[in-house]
Amino acid sequence: MAIKCIALDLDRTTLNREGRLSIGNKKALEEVIAAGIHVLVASGRAFATLPEDILGLPGIEYAITCNGAAMYHIPTGECLKRYRISADAVEAVMEATKEEPVAYEAFIDGVAYAGREYIEHPVQFGASPHAVEYIQTTRHGQDDIVRFIHENKHCLDGMDMVVRDEAEQNRIWELVRQASDEVYITSSIRQLVEIADRNAGKKNGVAFFADLLGVRQDEIAAFGDADNDSDMLRYAGYGIAMGNASPSCKEAADFITKHHDEDGLAYGLRHILELVPQ
């Protein structure tokens, strides 16, 4: 098994429920990096919201952010490739959802923005209680997020819509799909509908770095837990879903590892890919 590159989703995959990199996962990653294997971040997060546990790990040089809308060189913060949502698509999506009870998030040049009311009371808008600290420490508040999005419609890397339940998520998803064929729609958790340019997607982000690094598709392994990881897992030579992964993510995977709170990443690297000594 000749694996030269590993793509890692972060939340509920590489990170534990506290959003931290466990000692076991860190040790396994350090050994993989020491062996000369490229390790890529592949996240729905904006670049500025990537955790220090990951940014501070020597050897992780590249990041796929905003679900494949922006690819970065981590040490310099340089954006190597970006797909912005077209202004027409932004206007169409906002018009289609303007009467819906959603909270908007916007991502511009690696920075995350949201309405102040949502940041102050995220659970009231549908966010998980586990996400409160993350939201409040990474979002830049706007008094009128709708106006902000319209004013910045030419420079959006991505948008999120925060919903309260699965039925609302399905309805918003369909409204967005009908509003524009220029967008990529996905979701990492039930509370979000995530939107980027139609050329985005973690699969395309991994393919970009495969070309950059001179790595073949069959030399790539990818770990994920959610629907927005499914295309990446299908693309990789070795797609590995977490034990806590969504049904569609597990269906897309070649292997299933342990739960993310049981060092499922380290287990997958050690027992499935055999890249870390037992």
Side-chain angles (χ1 to χ4, degrees):
M1 182 181 295
I3 294 175
K4 296 183 178 180
C5 180
I6 299 173
L8 300 174
D9 172 56
L10 293 183
D11 297 291
R12 298 166 301 279
T13 297
T14 302
L15 305 177
N16 60 24
R17 71 179 64 195
E18 284 79 34
R20 302 300 304 273
L21 181 65
S22 71
I23 293 174
N25 282 348
K26 181 180 179 181
K27 183 175 184 296
L29 286 176
E30 288 173 337
E31 294 188 20
V32 165
I33 292 168
I37 297 171
H38 298 287
V39 177
L40 312 174
V41 170
S43 179
R45 292 187 183 214
F47 183 72
T49 72
L50 298 180
E52 184 57 36
D53 280 11
I54 298 297
L55 297 179
L57 192 62
I60 300 184
E61 294 188 300
Y62 300 105
I64 298 159
T65 67
C66 292
N67 290 311
M71 277 58 77
Y72 283 86
H73 179 239
I74 291 176
T76 63
E78 179 186 2
C79 185
L80 304 176
K81 182 74 173 179
R82 170 174 276 122
Y83 300 108
R84 297 195 192 277
I85 308 174
S86 75
D88 288 344
V90 173
E91 292 285 5
V93 169
M94 295 301 288
E95 176 66 23
T97 59
K98 66 181 182 180
E99 302 298 332
E100 297 296 327
V102 300
Y104 295 97
E105 297 181 318
F107 308 103
I108 301 173
D109 293 334
V111 179
Y113 300 87
R116 296 191 194 281
E117 186 178 1
Y118 166 65
I119 295 172
E120 292 172 1
H121 307 287
V123 175
Q124 293 181 13
F125 289 85
S128 164
H130 291 294
V132 171
E133 181 180 1
Y134 167 68
I135 292 166
Q136 293 181 339
T137 57
T138 60
R139 270 50 181 167
H140 292 246
Q142 296 295 315
D143 292 329
D144 187 340
I145 188 63
V146 172
R147 179 179 178 179
F148 177 82
I149 290 172
H150 283 295
E151 290 176 344
N152 291 276
K153 63 184 179 181
H154 294 283
C155 51
L156 291 184
D157 296 336
M159 299 168 53
D160 286 352
M161 295 176 190
V162 187
V163 299
R164 290 176 172 81
D165 54 43
E166 186 175 0
E168 187 172 285
Q169 183 188 51
N170 292 337
R171 185 177 70 255
I172 298 300
W173 189 301
E174 183 61 19
L175 287 173
V176 173
R177 188 190 67 79
Q178 292 181 14
S180 176
D181 60 2
E182 298 182 21
V183 295
Y184 167 77
I185 314 169
T186 191
S187 180
S188 57
I189 53 175
R190 179 198 58 74
Q191 292 89 353
L192 292 178
V193 175
E194 299 164 60
I195 303 166
D197 178 76
R198 62 185 170 191
N199 293 302
K202 293 187 182 183
K203 168 190 169 182
N204 289 345
V206 172
F208 169 80
F209 280 117
D211 289 342
L212 182 72
L213 298 170
V215 174
R216 298 196 314 267
Q217 186 175 344
D218 63 353
E219 295 173 326
I220 300 169
F223 287 76
D225 76 294
D227 294 358
N228 65 329
D229 298 312
S230 297
D231 63 346
M232 175 176 72
L233 267 57
R234 290 192 182 94
Y235 171 80
Y238 306 90
I240 301 174
M242 310 307 292
N244 51 283
S246 68
S248 65
C249 185
K250 287 182 177 179
E251 184 179 351
D254 300 299
F255 308 98
I256 309 295
T257 187
K258 290 187 176 183
H259 193 283
H260 75 113
D261 270 335
E262 299 174 337
D263 286 356
L265 171 61
Y267 183 90
L269 293 173
R270 180 173 292 113
H271 296 279
I272 298 175
L273 300 179
E274 299 180 346
L275 297 177
V276 177
Q278 298 189 32

